[in-house]
Amino acid sequence: MFKHHRYPKAIILQAVYLKLKFTLSYRDIEELLSMRGVQVDHSTIQRWVFKFSPEIEKNMHKRKRQVCSSWRIRESMLSKAER
């Protein structure tokens, strides 16, 4: 998935994480990465987000624990209108 890219996998994932987790612009992420010594253009970060977001989401769904389909509620929790 990360083959044939100029930057290492860790840098790409960090840029995508920053965009998806926080409300930062691509230029803000470019500035944050430049403070850490990584020179990358904001349009490159945008392409990374468009390219790798679906794959990251798919991997997260695989790792996500399944919620059981059965829910139980005690009778004392029901309101009088529902009884």
Side-chain angles (χ1 to χ4, degrees):
M1 181 160 89
F2 294 97
K3 290 182 179 180
H4 309 295
H5 286 278
R6 179 179 171 192
Y7 294 93
K9 176 182 176 180
I11 299 295
I12 295 171
L13 287 176
Q14 185 176 27
V16 173
Y17 170 78
L18 288 171
K19 180 59 182 169
L20 298 177
K21 179 69 177 178
F22 305 105
T23 55
L24 297 172
S25 69
Y26 293 111
R27 291 185 190 267
D28 290 339
I29 297 169
E30 177 184 6
E31 185 178 340
L32 285 171
L33 291 176
S34 69
M35 287 180 192
R36 296 177 180 165
V38 179
Q39 297 299 319
V40 62
D41 192 48
H42 63 276
S43 61
T44 303
I45 297 170
Q46 181 183 22
R47 284 192 298 271
W48 289 345
V49 170
F50 290 154
K51 182 175 182 178
F52 296 116
S53 294
E55 291 295 323
I56 292 170
E57 183 180 15
K58 193 184 314 179
N59 286 336
M60 291 304 292
H61 283 296
K62 286 180 186 177
R63 296 178 187 198
K64 185 178 171 184
R65 290 183 27 202
Q66 182 153 353
V67 179
C68 64
S69 61
S70 174
W71 290 82
R72 292 172 175 59
I73 188 167
R74 296 187 315 217
E75 289 181 25
S76 61
M77 300 293 284
L78 296 175
S79 68
K80 291 180 182 179
E82 294 174 340
R83 291 186 193 170

